[in-house]
Amino acid sequence: MAPSLEEPEPVQDVLNNPLKARPQLVAPEPEHCPGPESESAGKADSCAGCPNQAICASAPKGPDPDIPLISERLSGVKHKILVLSGKGGVGKSTFTSLLAHAFATNDDMTIGIMDTDICGPSIPKMMGVESETIHISNTGWSPVWVADNLGVMSIQFMLPNRDDAVIWRGPKKNGLIKQFLKEVEWGNMDFLLVDTPPGTSDEHLSVNSFLKESGIDGAVMVTTPQEVALLDVRKEIDFCKKAGIRVLGLVENMSGFVCPKCTHESQIFKATTGGGAALAKEMNIPFLGEVPLDPRIGMACDYGESFFDAYPDSPACKALKRVVRGVATEIGLDAQQVLPDD
């Protein structure tokens, strides 16, 4: 007989209360139990004599009191966009950094990146600010500014040594994400891009819970052409549907290799099932475009430089600009005002 998972918690309970651990009861819930997470848990007449009474009475109840504070802190941020995948290694962080640089080419806009990949924070390296630290003032934590209109917040800025591992359980990760939203002085921004780790677990639930009241414009899905990546992206899209997060569109990253010399394109990761375009059609979400492999993107990220400034006429840069305009259109903005044609 095949092994089975523990009986899962109801999905809606997890989405509605993602940061609360269900009380660990020592005995089955008796008849007429008000429920271990209800306001009357441990206090109702039916709780008298129940072995779980003290546990239920001490369990946290009600909404998170910090949510209104987070909403107030983010009141100056016009648009909040999540970058998701479900699959590791598809280039979410690279894509987030490129997306931020693309938006920031418009000097009239201010962009922020919040790095919620707690165990693998690579955004600071890609943005060229890995050695910076966080400045704390009376108004809160200041983002690390890459340029006059582009700021970043990441746990990397808080590590004593750049190679220190972050070995944390879920609650501590959730607490830091809350601090990034509650303590950081994001100020007036046009876009806040949230880079996420692979999966559909703690960090994703936390971000969705903390940002729900202040409003999330939606999520951009990143995939590569092969079915192994698409398999997990389907799960991430399903997570968004269940969590009520709008999917702004799907981007196929590493879609062919473009030779920097002759610009000829070769298919390195061949799409065996139709790639990102087919998946977008299957899931009924917008397809934002294909971004080709270009070794100069990797070099730009390693050196913390802007690929857009260095190679503005490259096929990858042109493809990314089309993605940016597509995202702008999906959230109801004038694409030409967000990123005017050259």
Side-chain angles (χ1 to χ4, degrees), residues 11 14-15 18 82 84 86 196 199-209 219 221 232-247 283:
V11 172
V14 175
L15 293 172
L82 312 183
L84 305 174
T196 64
T200 56
S201 193
D202 291 315
E203 294 90 337
H204 309 77
L205 291 168
S206 296
V207 169
N208 183 48
S209 174
M221 294 287 164
D232 288 342
V233 175
R234 286 187 182 90
K235 295 180 175 65
E236 194 77 40
I237 294 171
D238 182 56
F239 164 79
C240 286
K241 289 180 178 178
K242 290 174 178 174
I245 301 171
R246 180 187 172 202
V247 178
M283 305 298 287

Side-chain angles (χ1 to χ4, degrees), residues 31-312:
E31 188 178 4
H32 307 305
C33 173
E37 294 169 314
S38 72
E39 291 293 335
S40 58
K43 304 173 185 176
D45 293 341
S46 57
C47 298
C50 176
N52 301 317
Q53 185 174 14
I55 298 172
C56 294
S58 60
K61 301 172 183 65
D64 189 328
D66 286 329
I67 297 295
L69 300 177
I70 291 172
S71 297
E72 175 63 27
R73 180 66 92 175
L74 296 177
S75 60
V77 179
K78 295 178 183 177
H79 304 286
K80 306 171 199 70
I81 299 173
L82 312 183
V83 180
L84 305 174
S85 174
K87 185 68 175 174
V90 298
K92 287 185 303 300
S93 296
T94 302
F95 178 79
T96 302
S97 68
L98 292 169
L99 195 63
H101 276 302
F103 278 126
T105 57
N106 186 335
D107 293 333
D108 294 330
M109 296 196 308
T110 304
I111 317 301
I113 302 178
M114 188 174 80
D115 185 1
T116 64
D117 194 343
I118 306 300
C119 296
S122 52
I123 287 291
K125 175 71 173 176
M126 294 177 177
M127 304 305 287
V129 290
E130 187 181 22
S131 61
E132 299 292 331
T133 56
I134 299 170
H135 176 70
I136 301 176
S137 67
N138 291 335
T139 58
W141 301 2
S142 297
V144 172
W145 292 95
V146 178
D148 290 342
N149 65 337
L150 178 54
V152 175
M153 181 53 64
S154 172
I155 191 176
Q156 183 67 40
F157 303 134
M158 306 167 70
L159 300 181
N161 301 296
R162 56 173 285 183
D163 295 329
D164 285 352
V166 180
I167 308 172
W168 286 2
R169 298 184 189 275
K172 200 164 184 181
K173 292 181 184 180
N174 298 338
L176 182 63
I177 291 171
K178 179 186 280 190
Q179 282 188 289
F180 282 172
L181 293 168
K182 188 178 73 166
E183 305 292 346
V184 175
E185 183 60 51
W186 293 105
N188 294 320
M189 281 190 169
D190 293 277
F191 294 94
L192 177 62
L193 307 179
V194 183
D195 184 39
T196 64
T200 56
S201 193
D202 291 315
E203 294 90 337
H204 309 77
L205 291 168
S206 296
V207 169
N208 183 48
S209 174
F210 294 143
L211 290 180
K212 183 171 285 187
E213 185 174 302
S214 62
I216 301 172
D217 286 79
V220 174
M221 294 287 164
V222 182
T223 187
T224 48
Q226 63 271 51
E227 178 60 27
V228 169
L230 300 174
L231 181 67
D232 288 342
V233 175
R234 286 187 182 90
K235 295 180 175 65
E236 194 77 40
I237 294 171
D238 182 56
F239 164 79
C240 286
K241 289 180 178 178
K242 290 174 178 174
I245 301 171
R246 180 187 172 202
V247 178
L248 299 174
L250 177 71
V251 177
E252 183 177 279
N253 198 23
M254 307 184 202
S255 180
F257 166 73
V258 176
C259 175
K261 300 292 185 182
C262 67
T263 69
H264 175 74
E265 185 172 332
S266 303
Q267 298 301 317
I268 304 297
F269 304 117
K270 290 189 177 181
T272 57
T273 57
L279 176 61
K281 184 176 181 181
E282 172 194 335
M283 305 298 287
N284 195 30
I285 60 175
F287 184 59
L288 296 173
E290 302 168 341
V291 179
L293 270 169
D294 188 326
R296 296 172 299 186
I297 293 179
M299 291 179 63
C301 289
D302 280 352
Y303 289 111
E305 298 173 349
S306 170
F307 178 74
F308 277 83
D309 291 342
Y311 307 103

